[in-house]
Amino acid sequence: MKIEYHQYQLQLKDTFRISHASRDVQPSLVVSVSHDGVTGFGEAAATSYYGVTVESMMKALQKVEQIVENHIEEPPEIIWEKIYPELKTETFALCALDMALHDLYGKRKQQPLYKLWNLDPAKVPQTSYTIGIASTEEMIRKIKDFPWPLYKIKLGTDHDIEIIKELRKHTNSVFRIDANVAWAAYQAIENSHVLKELNVEFLEQPLAVDDLEGQKLLYQNSALPVIADESCIVESDVEKCAEYFHGVNIKLTKCGGITPALRMIAKAKALGLKTMVGCMTESTVGISAIAQLAPMLDYVDMDGALLLKNDTATGVKITSEKVIYPSENGTGVKLFKFE
Ligand SMILES: [Mg+2]
């Protein structure tokens, strides 16, 4: 067994701005795990907002290489249990490794993961394409440059409704709104009624994580479904969200990979919550893993690779009409320049 680390600087097509950050370059780590002549790949984006760097992820993963080696013949969820105690606070690193182990597992079983999970790829929901915060003219330009049936619009300015009214003049596509905790409850309730009329499908995490009273109020009075993102990080959050949200957006890097994500999706469904998996700014390695889960979800946000100028691999391809799964097994990923 051999674990290798591949560092990338992903270049964004456009400066990406949300309510609390902006960036042009996204550092990313791809982990490869090779065994018996087969290699699996996993990815996690370094995110300064969470204090995660490529170096910190590599350092964390080096601690568990021996454990992985000792259990390499076992299924990825078993290996996850063995490495989790060491990587509890390093969920991004844990995610990259768990993803690589899933890819390796599928490739060794000679099946794509969605097949191993008995999913029908025809049932994959349409992915949204994200429009970051910019001047309204710039946001209109981005929409015109990238015609797409479903946009996720990042908000959190002092003129959010005006932006959506303006964008609505230029496209009939469905909008989802992600205010990244920038709104207050009364404002979110009011906005939900206006936005519903503007063909908005749902609101993603408009309120601060600790504003439980506001979340309850919004949950009861919103004209649109409210989906948790910042409030749904790890497995134990799913149950808490059932009282305050209509659905949850699960991120593989935040929960620690495919293994916990599968359990979170099952839990959310059992609680009657809508399920979504979202991406970070990540390349085709990470996106192809999310795409394996997509047929079991209500919503999916896997536009990461579409927002990039350069990519790391071939794998699942997302078009405005469909998701194209490659013939490769596992997550379907083949890293460029990997022998
Ligand atoms: Mg979000």
Side-chain angles (χ1 to χ4, degrees):
M1 192 232 41
K2 187 165 151 202
I3 298 183
E4 286 175 290
Y5 304 99
H6 316 267
Q7 302 182 47
Y8 292 90
Q9 295 289 333
L10 305 176
Q11 314 282 329
L12 277 86
K13 284 184 195 156
D14 283 305
T15 301
F16 189 65
R17 192 151 77 89
I18 59 170
S19 67
H20 52 65
S22 92
R23 61 180 176 273
D24 296 291
V25 175
Q26 172 65 61
S28 187
L29 175 68
V30 171
V31 176
S32 61
V33 182
S34 303
H35 184 56
D36 271 355
V38 182
T39 303
F41 301 99
E43 177 179 19
T47 309
S48 52
Y49 186 61
Y50 297 98
V52 177
T53 64
V54 165
E55 291 71 28
S56 72
M57 287 192 277
M58 284 164 54
K59 212 172 140 205
L61 291 174
Q62 278 152 3
K63 291 190 297 190
V64 299
E65 284 183 2
Q66 192 56 51
I67 306 176
V68 177
E69 166 113 62
N70 295 345
H71 297 277
I72 193 66
E73 295 292 337
E74 298 185 54
E77 62 273 18
I78 303 291
I79 308 178
W80 190 92
E81 295 299 339
K82 307 285 182 199
I83 57 180
Y84 177 69
E86 295 292 327
L87 297 177
K88 239 181 222 172
T89 58
E90 306 279 353
T91 57
F92 282 62
L94 178 58
C95 167
L97 180 55
D98 180 68
M99 202 186 272
L101 290 169
H102 270 89
D103 185 26
L104 177 67
Y105 185 75
K107 283 174 173 154
R108 292 185 76 203
K109 291 265 172 200
Q110 300 187 320
Q111 294 278 350
L113 291 173
Y114 69 79
K115 256 193 198 157
L116 287 175
W117 298 330
N118 293 315
L119 300 176
D120 177 359
K123 291 202 174 132
V124 58
Q126 173 64 50
T127 189
S128 50
Y129 181 81
T130 305
I131 305 291
I133 296 174
S135 67
T136 310
E137 297 70 41
E138 186 70 4
M139 291 169 89
I140 293 167
R141 179 191 65 77
K142 286 180 187 174
I143 283 177
K144 287 193 167 160
D145 280 0
F146 209 91
W148 202 258
L150 175 59
Y151 294 103
K152 172 154 147 178
I153 315 285
K154 295 284 191 175
L155 292 179
T157 69
D158 56 7
H159 56 287
D160 285 343
I161 296 297
E162 286 70 26
I163 291 176
I164 298 303
K165 283 185 174 160
E166 224 21 70
L167 299 186
R168 187 41 84 215
K169 292 180 191 163
H170 299 271
T171 173
N172 290 322
S173 300
V174 176
F175 293 155
R176 294 169 178 173
I177 303 296
D178 187 354
N180 289 104
V181 310
W183 292 352
Y186 69 90
Q187 185 188 13
I189 292 167
E190 200 179 298
N191 288 351
S192 73
H193 290 272
V194 181
L195 293 170
K196 191 180 179 182
E197 299 308 312
L198 291 163
N199 198 12
V200 168
E201 188 179 23
F202 64 68
L203 304 178
E204 185 174 316
Q205 191 85 37
L207 308 186
V209 173
D210 57 5
D211 185 7
L212 294 180
E213 216 173 292
Q215 280 168 16
K216 192 88 195 188
L217 208 61
L218 176 61
Y219 177 67
Q220 289 161 345
N221 296 288
S222 176
L224 293 169
V226 186
I227 309 296
D229 183 3
E230 285 85 344
S231 289
C232 185
I233 308 294
V234 291
E235 288 188 74
S236 56
D237 292 327
V238 176
E239 193 146 16
K240 293 180 211 159
C241 285
E243 270 184 74
Y244 302 98
F245 294 94
H246 303 92
V248 289
N249 181 2
I250 295 161
K251 304 267 175 75
L252 301 186
T253 46
K254 293 188 194 174
C255 70
I258 292 172
T259 295
L262 283 167
R263 294 195 292 246
M264 289 168 82
I265 294 164
K267 177 92 186 174
K269 282 177 187 277
L271 290 165
L273 290 164
K274 294 280 189 193
T275 55
M276 170 170 175
V277 170
C279 63
M280 311 297 276
T281 303
E282 56 197 286
S283 74
T284 288
V285 173
I287 296 305
S288 299
I290 295 175
Q292 304 299 315
L293 297 162
M296 68 173 89
L297 306 172
D298 296 295
Y299 314 118
V300 69
D301 172 27
M302 48 181 183
D303 64 353
L306 298 172
L307 303 168
L308 300 175
K309 276 190 214 161
N310 58 335
D311 205 339
T312 59
T314 58
V316 174
K317 266 181 103 161
I318 317 277
T319 75
S320 62
E321 264 127 51
K322 56 183 182 206
V323 174
I324 304 159
Y325 291 84
S327 56
E328 275 78 21
N329 297 313
T331 63
V333 162
K334 271 204 315 208
L335 205 67
F336 295 140
K337 299 185 218 146
F338 185 86
E339 297 306 319

